[in-house]
Amino acid sequence: MSSALVEMGINMASPEVNQDPFTPLAAVREAAPAVWNPLIDQWMVAGFDDIRALLADEVHFKSGSKFFDDIFGARVFIADDDPRHNETRAVWNPSFRRPTIQGQYREMVERTVDECLADVLAGLRAGETVELVSTFSAVIPAVVISEMLGISSEDTELFVKWSNEMGLIAESFVEPSAQRRDELMAVGMEAQRSMTAYAGEELERRRQEERGDDLIGMMALAPVADERSEAELRAGIANLVMGGHETTGKLIGHMFIVFDQHRDQLEAIREDPELIPQAVEELIRYAGVIGAIVREARVDHDIGGVPVKQGQFVLNLPTPANRDPRRWDDPDTFDIFRERKQHVGFGYGTHSCIGQNLARFEAQTVLARLLTEIPDYRITDESFDYGTNWFLRGPKEIHVKL
Ligand code: HEM
């Protein structure tokens, strides 16, 4: 049975919605299994079960190819179909398994967190107010993924800049104003050219040196690389950089805000650090980092009875899905003790996040240090500016002091 069309013109690119996406997107979730957004001519899906079913359905929906093709300038595995997707992903998969992250990369992650924290601590202990995003939360994952890729630490800043600017292409995807869309695209495309040119040089260097001991080298020397275009290989590196730092940086930022607002739970973890992994999991459910998991209808189909046409885009919205009252009791409450259930913060199905074990481990390491080193931190200004980056949402600045 097909359902009536429900339309909601939500401007996802507006600072207001990015400031508080929970209220308007909960309304989408409650309205219908799929809601049409006439501002951007795309579907929005916000129910937990609907999203999971859609992400598992590769027959009728494919990864948002145009969305990612635009961002990265060539087909990357996040936008590719199996078996191509899986063949490319398999080159890096072993590096992102939990034992590898918590074994081979443990020391590097912990050292990176400690080095960044040392600077923050020096300022805090001198009585200063410290801005955490630029000095700490955004830096840690950028350094970590650079180390894994084998990029010189001097170039990390450059990579972060390009990657942030490439994020503007994602912003343009939901921007209703054509003029603003063009502006965002222009900056994003320039950054994309720089990033992929740099990635190309690094790939070539690994080939010449026959060095496969980092993520770039693994791809450069993998047999599957012969079946991929040079543009695809370069774009794949850019995908890892972007996926690897902005997401986790935003999550760590949210951590400081959410625990400042829930001091009792921070204290409970201090008394029992075994709670750290479940606290991080609850943070991912609650915080709302990823704006959308984009899919495109391969054929005419329906979402929970709502007819969808071939070629239409579907924004799967994990933020309201992870607060779906049909799945969680009291879903808008942050509760590290709640019954553990899988969320869709890392997606679902074949494209689910390759970096999730890394993201978890980085966040867990930060939380452990936060508890031992600065449990009494205080946020000094609670008027956070979330900007317009709806795709990867987090405050631009977080000011803390002891
Ligand atoms: C809090 C941190 C993170 C969040 C919330 C997050 C979220 C997601 C989500 C929702 C997807 C699914 C996309 C889709 O189905 O279209 C995804 C995929 C992906 N993520 Fe993450 N991610 C995080 C950290 C990372 C890290 C650290 C990396 C590092 C390398 C990474 C790299 C990727 C890649 C390459 C994919 C594509 C996987 C595939 O298509 O098989 N992400 N991520």
Side-chain angles (χ1 to χ4, degrees):
M1 199 183 71
S2 78
S3 308
L5 174 69
V6 178
E7 292 194 8
M8 292 172 95
I10 296 179
N11 182 356
M12 317 258 280
S14 70
E16 295 74 26
V17 173
N18 219 24
Q19 187 80 24
D20 170 20
F22 302 103
T23 311
L25 299 187
V28 174
R29 186 187 61 220
E30 300 313 316
V35 172
W36 182 249
N37 189 334
L39 296 184
I40 48 175
D41 289 342
Q42 295 173 36
W43 292 101
M44 302 179 288
V45 176
F48 184 86
D49 287 340
D50 292 318
I51 287 190
R52 234 175 24 171
L54 201 150
L55 295 180
D57 179 358
E58 290 169 61
V59 174
H60 301 107
F61 297 96
K62 61 178 175 180
S63 183
S65 320
K66 184 183 174 331
F67 176 70
F68 288 116
D69 290 353
D70 280 356
I71 295 176
F72 297 109
R75 183 56 52 89
V76 282
F77 67 93
I78 198 169
D80 223 343
D81 282 334
D82 286 329
R84 267 177 61 100
H85 155 263
N86 248 330
E87 289 162 5
T88 321
R89 179 173 165 137
V91 174
W92 283 322
N93 245 347
S95 304
F96 288 100
R97 291 208 181 100
R98 192 156 52 160
T100 317
I101 296 296
Q102 300 197 6
Q104 184 183 338
Y105 293 118
R106 171 183 289 272
E107 194 275 326
M108 182 270 289
V109 172
E110 291 179 342
R111 174 171 35 85
T112 305
V113 172
D114 287 337
E115 282 172 8
C116 290
L117 189 61
D119 293 341
V120 171
L121 274 178
L124 290 176
R125 288 184 178 151
E128 292 166 16
T129 298
V130 174
E131 197 292 291
L132 273 184
V133 175
S134 56
T135 58
F136 187 74
S137 58
V139 182
I140 293 166
V143 173
V144 166
I145 195 67
S146 296
E147 290 249 2
M148 290 176 73
L149 285 160
I151 294 168
S152 139
S153 57
E154 284 136 44
D155 292 342
T156 301
E157 240 173 81
L158 213 52
F159 255 66
V160 168
K161 176 179 172 296
W162 292 332
S163 170
N164 289 342
E165 288 172 1
M166 284 166 66
L168 300 178
I169 304 174
E171 270 188 66
S172 77
F173 197 69
V174 296
E175 172 56 58
S177 147
Q179 189 195 333
R180 173 99 183 111
R181 258 200 318 269
D182 291 347
E183 288 164 10
L184 293 169
M185 279 300 269
V187 180
M189 294 304 285
E190 181 61 35
Q192 183 203 86
R193 278 188 285 276
S194 307
M195 169 86 93
T196 49
Y198 183 107
E201 285 166 23
E202 291 291 311
L203 280 160
E204 188 49 32
R205 188 170 314 145
R206 300 300 186 287
R207 285 185 200 111
Q208 283 178 4
E209 294 172 1
E210 292 184 15
R211 203 154 62 73
D213 59 353
D214 55 36
L215 297 181
I216 296 182
M218 281 174 206
M219 188 54 80
L221 304 186
V224 76
D226 297 336
E227 296 159 27
R228 301 287 177 266
S229 70
E230 185 66 15
E232 285 175 323
L233 297 179
R234 293 173 181 200
I237 309 293
N239 187 181
L240 273 198
V241 176
M242 208 163 163
H245 89 272
E246 271 215 76
T247 49
T248 315
K250 300 273 156 78
L251 182 70
I252 295 171
H254 285 290
M255 180 192 294
F256 280 85
I257 297 173
V258 171
F259 280 112
D260 185 56
Q261 294 162 344
H262 299 87
R263 289 274 154 189
D264 51 334
Q265 298 190 49
L266 191 61
E267 190 48 38
I269 308 168
R270 194 144 82 114
E271 278 168 20
D272 181 6
E274 303 258 302
L275 294 170
I276 287 176
Q278 73 194 60
V280 165
E281 221 53 41
E282 172 66 352
L283 182 70
I284 297 161
R285 180 196 75 82
Y286 179 83
V289 171
I290 298 276
I293 302 171
V294 184
R295 291 292 182 270
E296 186 181 330
R298 290 184 200 271
V299 289
D300 289 359
H301 192 56
D302 75 284
I303 300 170
V306 180
V308 171
K309 288 207 178 319
Q310 179 188 12
Q312 287 182 328
F313 280 97
V314 182
L315 301 179
N316 295 281
L317 309 173
T319 299
N322 283 335
R323 294 185 178 204
D324 189 332
R326 288 162 291 196
R327 183 163 178 84
W328 286 280
D329 294 334
D330 203 6
D332 292 317
T333 299
F334 179 73
D335 178 6
I336 62 168
F337 298 105
R338 70 168 61 249
E339 185 194 345
R340 280 278 286 278
K341 287 182 180 173
Q342 199 188 10
H343 52 73
V344 285
F346 289 123
Y348 186 72
T350 191
H351 288 284
S352 72
C353 182
I354 195 176
Q356 55 188 287
N357 293 315
L358 175 61
R360 287 189 176 104
F361 186 61
E362 290 181 67
Q364 290 167 8
T365 306
V366 170
L367 183 52
R369 294 297 191 274
L370 183 161
L371 290 165
T372 55
E373 305 299 327
I374 46 168
D376 298 328
Y377 77 96
R378 286 277 176 266
I379 291 192
T380 58
D381 178 3
E382 304 211 347
S383 57
F384 306 109
D385 176 5
Y386 284 87
T388 51
N389 187 349
W390 70 284
F391 188 56
L392 300 173
R393 176 180 166 272
K396 288 181 169 175
E397 295 185 350
I398 305 170
H399 297 272
V400 300
K401 67 180 304 185
L402 282 182

